[in-house]
Amino acid sequence: MRRLYLRIYLAVLASLAVFALAAGLLWRQLADSAPQNEIAATLAANVLPAATAAPREQQAALEKLAANLRADAALFAADGTPLASVGRPLPAPQRPGWLRGLGGPPAWAVDLGDGRWLVARLSGRHRHPAFGLFLTLALLVVAVGVGAYPVVRRLTARLERLQQGVESFGAGQLDVRVKVEGNDEVARLAESFNRAAMRIEELVGAQKSLLANASHELRTPLTRIRMATELMKEGAEPRRKLELERDIAELDALIDEIMLSSRLDAAERMEKPEALDVLALAAEECARYEQATLEGESVTIQGEPRLLRRMIRNLLENARRHGKPPIQVRVTRNEISICDQGPGVPEAEREKIFEPFYRGLGLSIVRRIARRHGGEATCIGNCFVVSLKP
């Protein structure tokens, strides 16, 4: 049983049931106790004639007693011989107290102390005294059960709402806050969560802003470096000039990826998704690479064309840099796979390569774009596979 409110509620009911059972057993024990038998014997002895009285006198007294009690009654000798009887037959008793197992209303046996036994059975409208106690306890259990449920449910419902807030926050919705209800430990826990969530949102927002601003600011010196390179082309050594141009292109690509990563952080959901043909997008990107081949079927999904193009381009670029040609791209209804002829990624690194800056930002961006479109990016040897959600 995983629901907390049900566990608390059933614990309350179980405690009440145990209490009712214990009270009933105690009442039953007290009902058969010796003091009560002695009192009943004394009262009966004062009403009935002596043991030496004639049978007719004993029968008359028993009839009068039975009429007053509105009960069946019988008087027995010490050896169980009937001396007088009124109403339905009753068995000879073996011990004082309530006689059970007779069927119908209960019967009570009293030792009169002079060798005689008196047995009386109440009419149908009378019940065993313990019945009233059990009925009262049963009604108490029902009343407490009905009253306790909304109290327990209200407490655990607040915990469930807090859990939903924590799960939403963990899923990336940093603006989630939970409602503070009451003035107890649960309310203080909700307040603590809201304070922590606000602080984390501020820190993440500051980090995103810093990353975006830093990437933007890097563009200015990079542009100046590119202009200086153009001016020094005539007198620069060709090898040195080629290395410088390669470094500038790599720095430019890195800044572009940092800015894209920052935009992905800033926007939690897709902006204006469109119906896109994945095969057509893959064909456009494969046209950039001479040793890339494409096959598959036309698949339409809802997504952002700019991001999906970037995802495919990053996978192709990764295959070109770290694998061996030819590069094979295949599009099916369920996935996009891009494979090369290289040795592949060791199994121990197949998850690490999707971490930021483990191998640049390219593969990290691939996985984030795939997840934003309801899919997933994985590595299997020398193939990268992106699942699609049509």
Side-chain angles (χ1 to χ4, degrees):
M1 188 175 297
R2 302 178 64 181
R3 292 288 187 178
L4 178 61
Y5 75 92
L6 286 179
R7 293 167 61 184
I8 298 176
Y9 184 61
L10 291 180
V12 172
L13 293 184
S15 300
L16 287 173
V18 171
F19 168 75
L21 180 61
L25 293 176
L26 179 61
W27 175 263
R28 177 177 175 180
Q29 184 67 27
L30 293 176
D32 292 341
S33 62
Q36 291 182 344
N37 288 321
E38 293 176 0
I39 294 173
T42 301
L43 293 176
N46 291 329
V47 174
L48 296 174
T52 57
R56 181 177 298 177
E57 186 179 351
Q58 295 193 41
Q59 178 68 30
L62 186 64
E63 290 177 356
K64 183 177 180 181
L65 178 62
N68 291 330
L69 294 176
R70 291 179 293 181
D72 302 323
L75 197 60
F76 295 91
D79 59 359
T81 302
L83 300 176
S85 177
V86 178
R88 291 175 292 177
L90 292 169
Q94 302 296 325
R95 63 180 183 83
W98 290 103
L99 302 182
R100 300 174 180 85
L102 301 180
W108 179 272
V110 178
D111 184 0
L112 298 180
D114 55 6
R116 292 179 300 171
W117 289 84
L118 173 63
V119 179
R121 176 164 55 189
L122 301 176
S123 62
R125 59 176 172 271
H126 294 286
R127 297 189 180 275
H128 193 292
F131 177 80
L133 176 63
F134 279 114
L135 180 60
T136 302
L137 293 175
L139 293 176
L140 176 63
V141 170
V142 173
V144 173
V146 172
Y149 182 84
V151 176
V152 174
R153 189 68 189 98
R154 182 175 181 273
L155 171 64
T156 55
R158 292 160 59 197
L159 292 174
E160 289 178 1
R161 287 191 287 271
L162 180 59
Q163 177 194 7
Q164 293 171 0
V166 172
E167 291 178 350
S168 299
F169 187 81
Q173 300 180 26
L174 302 184
D175 59 342
V176 169
R177 301 293 183 270
V178 296
K179 184 178 179 181
V180 179
E181 304 173 80
N183 189 28
D184 52 12
E185 290 82 356
V186 178
R188 289 192 287 274
L189 179 60
E191 291 175 350
S192 298
F193 169 77
N194 288 340
R195 286 195 298 270
M198 181 176 64
R199 180 59 178 160
I200 292 174
E201 184 182 19
E202 291 175 353
L203 292 175
V204 173
Q207 184 267 339
K208 291 179 181 179
S209 177
L210 176 62
L211 185 61
N213 292 334
S215 301
H216 184 268
E217 292 299 324
L218 284 173
R219 289 291 190 185
T220 301
L222 183 61
T223 302
R224 289 199 297 265
I225 292 174
R226 183 177 285 111
M227 292 179 61
T229 303
E230 292 295 327
L231 294 175
M232 63 177 287
K233 274 185 178 181
E234 298 297 330
E237 181 182 351
R239 179 182 174 185
R240 179 62 178 169
K241 183 177 65 174
L242 182 62
E243 291 178 353
L244 185 58
E245 289 177 348
R246 187 183 299 116
D247 291 340
I248 292 174
E250 185 175 346
L251 180 59
D252 190 34
L254 178 59
I255 293 175
D256 189 46
E257 288 183 343
I258 292 175
M259 295 184 70
L260 176 58
S261 177
S262 178
R263 286 195 296 270
L264 289 174
D265 285 335
E268 299 294 339
R269 299 177 179 83
M270 287 190 293
E271 299 177 0
K272 298 180 181 179
E274 305 174 14
L276 304 171
D277 189 335
V278 179
L279 185 64
L281 290 179
E284 293 177 8
E285 295 303 320
C286 286
R288 299 170 177 267
Y289 299 85
E290 295 181 357
Q291 296 179 312
T293 60
L294 173 65
E295 60 179 6
E297 56 183 306
S298 178
V299 179
T300 301
I301 68 171
Q302 292 291 325
E304 295 184 55
R306 178 177 57 85
L307 293 181
L308 290 174
R309 282 195 181 93
R310 186 55 179 267
M311 180 184 72
I312 297 173
R313 186 182 307 169
N314 283 7
L315 290 174
L316 288 169
E317 188 64 23
N318 179 77
R320 183 187 69 81
R321 289 184 179 182
H322 303 285
K324 291 183 179 180
I327 303 172
Q328 299 174 341
V329 181
R330 180 174 178 79
V331 178
T332 66
R333 185 161 299 277
N334 297 321
E335 63 185 26
I336 305 172
S337 61
I338 298 180
C339 305
D340 59 70
Q341 305 307 310
V345 180
E347 186 173 357
E349 299 182 12
R350 291 178 185 175
E351 282 298 314
K352 294 181 179 179
I353 58 175
F354 290 102
E355 296 177 2
F357 296 106
Y358 184 83
R359 189 185 285 181
L361 281 173
L363 294 178
S364 173
I365 291 175
V366 165
R367 172 166 280 185
R368 294 172 66 183
I369 294 175
R371 289 178 174 175
R372 179 173 290 234
H373 288 79
E376 183 59 272
T378 57
C379 175
I380 306 175
N382 60 348
C383 292
F384 285 84
V385 179
V386 177
S387 62
L388 299 176
K389 183 179 179 182

